[in-house]
Amino acid sequence: MSDYTWLAPAVLCGLIALVGNVVLGQQVLQRQIIFIDLAVAQVAALGAALSQYWLNHYALFSGSWLGEIIGPWVMSLLLCGLIAVMEKRHQQHLEPMIGSLFVVSASLAVLLVSKDPHGADFIHRILNGQLLWSTWDDVWPLAIITAGMLLLVWSKPAFMQGSGFYLIFAILMPITVKLTGIYLEFALLVIPALCATALKGARFFIASICIGIAGILSGIAASAHYDLPSGASIVVTLFLAGLLFNLWIQPVISKRANTRAF
């Protein structure tokens, strides 16, 4: 058992990211802006590239946590502010607009790293993340910001219904993407919430969290045991967990709910 204690930070980071994404995922599905996660995650990646290739030249930011995260934060806040404005003025075409922003930001990131011999490694790291190699230093910032978000949502539920949703999204997303990568971040946001969307209230959150826990733990175990990329492994196991939930467990829950209704 002690041989696997080094995985504890990865498991905790994955589970904390899951909680934040379930809360945000419900809003994403309700607003029907699925592409927002890909767009913000990709813009955060573009910000990470700016931090690495530009801000790191300044002593204030070089080698620090702030230096790594300030670029993604600034870019994410700018994008989410833009999306909030577009939601009010161009609701009908909001989703294709967000998709276009994703493609443009992805292309800019590729152009930015194209002259770097290690650029391909940077893109690979951004897409697949480095969750398996998380440390305790990665746990605390994610835990503190996620706890702050949960406290805000609990104390002021109306905040998430308006433009405040975009502010929370822009602050939490870059920290999560730094660890999970774009693929896993999108999967954590959409798959648990989508698979549990037929349930309401506490049942929705319990089901989403259970799906996520099953996917994260089995994915990390497979990644560590077979030496596979952690992000891609968890995406696959998360999908399988959601599929099994929809095929076997949700029908039982729905049947019991209908029986009680009668």
Side-chain angles (χ1 to χ4, degrees):
M1 182 65 70
S2 60
D3 292 340
Y4 294 95
T5 55
W6 64 276
L7 291 173
V11 172
L12 280 176
C13 284
L15 296 179
I16 295 168
L18 169 67
V19 172
N21 274 289
V22 166
V23 175
L24 295 174
Q26 186 181 38
Q27 278 290 314
V28 165
L29 293 179
Q30 289 176 357
R31 293 169 184 249
Q32 297 183 340
I33 47 173
I34 308 300
F35 273 127
I36 186 175
D37 186 49
L38 287 175
V40 175
Q42 185 58 64
V43 163
L46 176 60
L50 289 172
S51 292
Q52 177 167 322
Y53 293 101
W54 179 47
L55 290 180
N56 272 345
H57 294 299
Y58 297 91
L60 177 63
F61 301 110
S62 180
S64 67
W65 183 83
L66 179 62
E68 290 182 0
I69 205 66
I70 193 169
W73 259 344
V74 169
M75 296 299 294
S76 297
L77 286 167
L78 289 173
L79 178 65
C80 284
L82 177 60
I83 294 174
V85 172
M86 292 193 304
E87 184 180 41
K88 296 177 180 178
R89 299 183 180 181
H90 307 285
Q91 178 65 47
Q92 184 179 358
H93 304 294
L94 183 60
E95 188 73 346
M97 285 180 172
I98 295 174
S100 299
L101 291 172
F102 161 70
V103 172
V104 171
S105 58
S107 300
L108 287 173
V110 170
L111 292 174
L112 188 60
V113 305
S114 62
K115 300 299 183 180
D116 183 1
H118 304 289
D121 293 333
F122 177 83
I123 294 296
H124 181 271
R125 193 165 63 249
I126 287 297
L127 292 176
N128 291 290
Q130 47 190 358
L131 184 63
L132 197 64
W133 309 113
S134 301
T135 66
W136 292 110
D137 290 336
D138 296 314
V139 174
W140 309 123
L142 181 61
I144 291 169
I145 292 177
T146 301
M149 179 202 74
L150 294 175
L151 180 61
L152 180 61
V153 172
W154 175 76
S155 60
K156 296 184 177 181
F159 188 80
M160 283 285 283
Q161 306 304 319
S163 299
F165 161 76
Y166 294 107
L167 177 62
I168 294 175
F169 206 96
I171 293 174
L172 183 62
M173 199 56 51
I175 297 180
T176 308
V177 170
K178 177 177 177 289
L179 299 172
T180 62
I182 293 175
Y183 294 152
L184 178 54
E185 168 52 37
F186 183 76
L188 287 173
L189 184 82
V190 174
I191 292 177
L194 180 62
C195 291
T197 192
L199 304 176
K200 305 299 179 184
R203 288 185 176 183
F204 166 82
F205 287 103
I206 292 172
S208 299
I209 294 296
C210 289
I211 291 169
I213 289 174
I216 289 169
L217 294 182
S218 56
I220 288 178
S223 175
H225 185 74
Y226 296 105
D227 193 23
L228 297 171
S230 58
S233 299
I234 299 173
V235 168
V236 173
T237 55
L238 195 61
F239 174 79
L240 293 175
L243 183 63
L244 292 175
F245 174 83
N246 280 128
L247 290 177
W248 289 347
I249 301 175
Q250 184 169 302
V252 175
I253 297 175
S254 300
K255 185 177 180 180
R256 288 181 178 177
N258 292 333
T259 302
R260 290 178 182 177
F262 287 107

